[in-house]
Amino acid sequence: MIAIVGAESTGKSTLASELAAALAAQTGLRCTAVGEWLRDWCHQHGRTPQPHEQQAIAAAQTARIEAAAARHDIVVADTTALMTAVYSDIVFADRSLDALALAAHARCHITLLMALDIAWVADGLQRDGPQVRAPVDSRIRALLHQGGLPWQLVQGQGPARLVSALGAVRELALDRDLDTGRDQAPAPDAAAPAAAPAAAPAAAARAGSA
């Protein structure tokens, strides 16, 4: 499970579909993108959520991801419950969802954080304006740090953003020793002496200092 998080208008939805398609082509595995439930919720209700509705929205996002994971090899999630917790804090000064959101997000194997290097674009009810992107980005980083969750920054314009994401997925997948379906070394023979372990990728270290 690959989680894409980030402030509004940073290309999360576009990247989720592009990344799922690219990984399917590269690995031959069953890949899918899971959309953001909040976006659908706002369209259905014609408004943004109230504080008491946030927990159900977070739970629905988690359920969407888990359902997709039961049927696919790779799931790319356009946000997780973590983003609901972030906006509960930013908009309603409510951090009651933090623990549940971190527990749900921790089940994802890879976290990609979108950089603030593309222009903000209005998009219906969800978006509050470019002024909220920096505070949201800061809160995401703080929560990921609080949960001890490694992440990689995705940046770049146009096709470069997908290239950045693919590189980040590859690096974090190797860091977590995940099966990506490609470039897999054969299992060492039990009788053969074990090779010295390679140096661990520095993804988590860079993420913590980004």
Side-chain angles (χ1 to χ4, degrees), residues 1 30 32-34 59-75 77 107:
M1 293 189 286
R30 298 171 300 165
T32 190
V34 173
Q61 185 68 31
T62 299
R64 275 188 164 193
I65 296 169
E66 303 255 348
R71 303 188 304 271
H72 297 84
D73 301 307
I74 298 176
V75 173
R107 294 198 287 272

Side-chain angles (χ1 to χ4, degrees), residues 58-165:
Q61 185 68 31
T62 299
R64 275 188 164 193
I65 296 169
E66 303 255 348
R71 303 188 304 271
H72 297 84
D73 301 307
I74 298 176
V75 173
V76 183
D78 174 12
T79 81
T80 69
L82 189 79
M83 291 307 304
T84 311
V86 166
Y87 281 107
S88 287
D89 180 27
I90 296 291
V91 179
F92 304 119
D94 176 13
R95 295 190 177 183
S96 65
L97 298 182
D98 287 5
L100 288 174
L102 282 172
H105 191 95
R107 294 198 287 272
C108 294
H109 302 90
I110 291 173
T111 299
L112 304 179
L113 173 62
M114 304 294 275
L116 307 180
D117 58 348
I118 60 176
W120 181 88
V121 177
D123 184 22
L125 294 168
Q126 284 180 273
R127 297 186 176 171
D128 297 312
Q131 74 281 355
V132 305
R133 297 208 301 178
V136 167
D137 182 78
S138 295
R139 184 60 188 150
I140 294 169
R141 292 171 187 246
L143 273 177
L144 291 171
H145 178 75
Q146 177 183 326
L149 302 173
W151 51 271
Q152 273 279 26
L153 189 68
V154 172
Q155 52 194 336
Q157 305 290 317
R161 215 165 184 78
L162 176 59
V163 172
S164 175

Side-chain angles (χ1 to χ4, degrees), residues 177 179 181-190 192-195:
D177 195 25
D179 178 0
R182 285 171 57 94
D183 301 327
Q184 299 175 46
D189 186 89

